[in-house]
Amino acid sequence: MHRQELIDTAREMVVAGKGILAADESTGTIKKRLAGIDVESTESNRQAYRNLLFTTQGVEGFISGVILYEETLFQKAHDGTPFVELLAGRGIMPGIKVDMGAKTLANSNDEMVTEGLDGLRERLADYRAAGARFAKWRAVIDIAADKPTDYCIGVNASALARYAALCQEAGVVPIVEPEVLMDGDNSIERCEEVTSRVLQAVFSELAAQQVLLEGMLLKPNMVISGKQCSTQAGVEEVAQATLRCLRRHVPAAVPGIVFLSGGQSDELATAHLNAVNRQGVQPWALTFSYGRALQAPALAAWRGQQANVEAAQRAFLKRARNNSAASRGEYSADMENAA
Ligand code: 13P
């Protein structure tokens, strides 16, 4: 196995002051995002949008890596340079989403299991040859009165560990993402209880399948009130509950924890990350791997117009800079008003 390379790459991904841009929206998801700004999801519009993000000057000071969707991994920038080369040339590591999405789990009450293990060894070899240095697999766990079941947690944890083991065999750092959704009406306490069960199961499977903890990253949800819950926990409470949960379940050997934003507003996702990093020194680096919370203002500014590219890049750079500050615990709300 590529032990030292995996360890070095994982550490470089969470180097102080940097986080990850998740730009790996699948064809269905990017269609929704572009529809939100009245832009049709054609290959050339998707390419133009990703070109805008990846050519933003200065972002390399705040972003260590970008998660790509397969189409983008093999796509070229406007100037003909493959995106992978363009990113690597700027010191940004290219990564790749390798799961095939969450599907209904048989014999369940509409719970989900993430697919994509068949043929993954061969795909990983191709992705690595194309320049991918890390990968992502997202499991989706829903909270409801009767959910999640141990059955759903178990199959997803097992698949995450199988994926992680295959990645490491290929010399690709796995980002292990068990996402507990934050859309329900559940309390923060219920989110903590479910996140605890999920992380316990995931690390038990990672150990059983001999995944090298030093050569992977965890991408969890924050412990937070469900969006529909009438009482929303404050920023400090979210930070404390999130850290309590992570400290109970994530071994210190894991070099970094890179949060997803999961539908939080962009500024709240930044404030939460900052508060987490103000709780004192932790065994792992704590940073971001945001999709929506890094991209939403840029998408809104762009609206598919060439004339808006600069404004969109400024909006993206600002979110990257502010989240970088939050990863150091040095963010303040005043930074939102700074030019
Ligand atoms: P969000 O930050 O929009 O939740 O996306 C992160 C991600 O990669 C989800 O898989």
Side-chain angles (χ1 to χ4, degrees):
M1 203 166 68
H2 315 254
R3 289 177 75 91
Q4 198 54 49
E5 185 187 346
L6 292 167
I7 294 169
D8 294 345
T9 303
R11 285 198 186 139
E12 197 183 329
M13 289 167 73
V14 294
V15 70
K18 292 191 187 180
I20 294 165
L21 165 66
D24 60 328
E25 297 84 4
S26 61
T27 311
T29 303
I30 194 72
K31 188 173 174 192
K32 268 191 257 166
R33 301 275 187 271
L34 293 176
I37 54 162
D38 292 324
V39 171
E40 196 189 342
S41 183
T42 59
E43 195 198 334
S44 82
N45 286 339
R46 293 192 294 270
Q47 184 263 359
Y49 176 57
R50 267 96 186 217
N51 191 84
L52 176 166
L53 293 177
F54 305 161
T55 58
T56 299
Q57 293 305 310
V59 87
E60 64 278 5
F62 311 119
I63 302 276
S64 61
V66 180
I67 316 174
L68 305 170
Y69 187 58
E70 191 182 64
E71 173 183 87
T72 322
L73 185 77
F74 296 104
Q75 228 167 18
K76 293 188 167 118
H78 287 342
D79 70 358
T81 315
F83 276 135
V84 167
E85 261 177 53
L86 179 138
L87 290 168
R90 301 183 57 200
I92 300 176
M93 284 181 273
I96 173 85
K97 167 191 175 75
V98 302
D99 68 68
M100 301 288 226
K103 308 283 160 62
T104 304
L105 175 63
N107 295 326
S108 80
N109 176 20
D110 269 343
E111 294 190 283
M112 309 287 262
V113 62
T114 300
E115 297 190 343
L117 289 169
D118 288 350
L120 181 56
R121 174 177 277 135
E122 293 72 24
R123 285 197 290 130
L124 281 165
D126 293 345
Y127 297 149
R128 179 168 156 113
R133 297 184 54 196
F134 65 93
K136 177 191 112 172
W137 177 290
R138 171 176 178 253
V140 184
I141 309 287
D142 199 8
I143 304 183
D146 58 342
K147 293 178 199 170
T149 60
D150 288 343
Y151 166 41
C152 169
I153 293 175
V155 292
N156 277 293
S158 165
L160 275 166
R162 285 190 61 197
Y163 139 81
L166 284 164
C167 283
Q168 291 189 336
E169 180 189 85
V172 171
V173 169
I175 298 181
V176 172
E177 181 180 8
E179 175 174 5
V180 177
L181 297 175
M182 45 183 85
D183 308 325
D185 63 0
N186 58 277
S187 65
I188 186 172
E189 288 82 10
R190 175 86 169 122
C191 178
E192 183 169 354
E193 174 206 322
V194 171
T195 305
S196 264
R197 275 167 67 201
V198 169
L199 292 177
Q200 187 66 30
V202 167
F203 280 97
S204 166
E205 280 292 336
L206 290 168
Q209 299 190 40
Q210 300 174 47
V211 171
L212 178 70
L213 296 180
E214 291 83 351
M216 62 160 272
L217 299 178
L218 177 71
K219 176 163 175 169
N221 52 286
M222 293 175 183
V223 173
I224 206 169
S225 315
K227 259 204 179 139
Q228 313 300 327
C229 181
S230 51
T231 40
Q232 291 287 311
V235 169
E236 197 59 22
E237 190 180 352
V238 167
Q240 287 173 8
T242 299
L243 274 176
R244 179 168 58 229
C245 188
L246 293 171
R247 290 181 63 89
R248 284 178 177 164
H249 300 290
V250 185
V254 174
I257 296 178
V258 295
F259 294 104
L260 60 93
S261 61
Q264 302 175 61
S265 77
D266 40 323
E267 292 183 20
L268 192 56
T270 309
H272 282 150
L273 177 63
N274 190 59
V276 158
N277 276 298
R278 289 226 178 158
Q279 305 286 316
V281 177
Q282 306 299 335
W284 351 260
L286 291 156
T287 186
F288 57 92
S289 174
Y290 293 163
R292 283 163 286 180
L294 276 172
Q295 295 183 51
L299 258 180
W302 179 50
R303 306 198 72 81
Q305 304 295 319
Q306 181 57 34
N308 297 337
V309 165
E310 268 188 43
Q313 290 185 325
R314 274 198 304 277
F316 172 46
L317 184 62
K318 177 172 173 181
R319 291 269 47 89
R321 176 185 287 122
N322 288 2
N323 281 302
S324 163
S327 76
R328 297 179 184 272
E330 293 170 1
Y331 167 78
S332 75
D334 310 341
M335 292 169 67
E336 297 300 343
N337 305 318

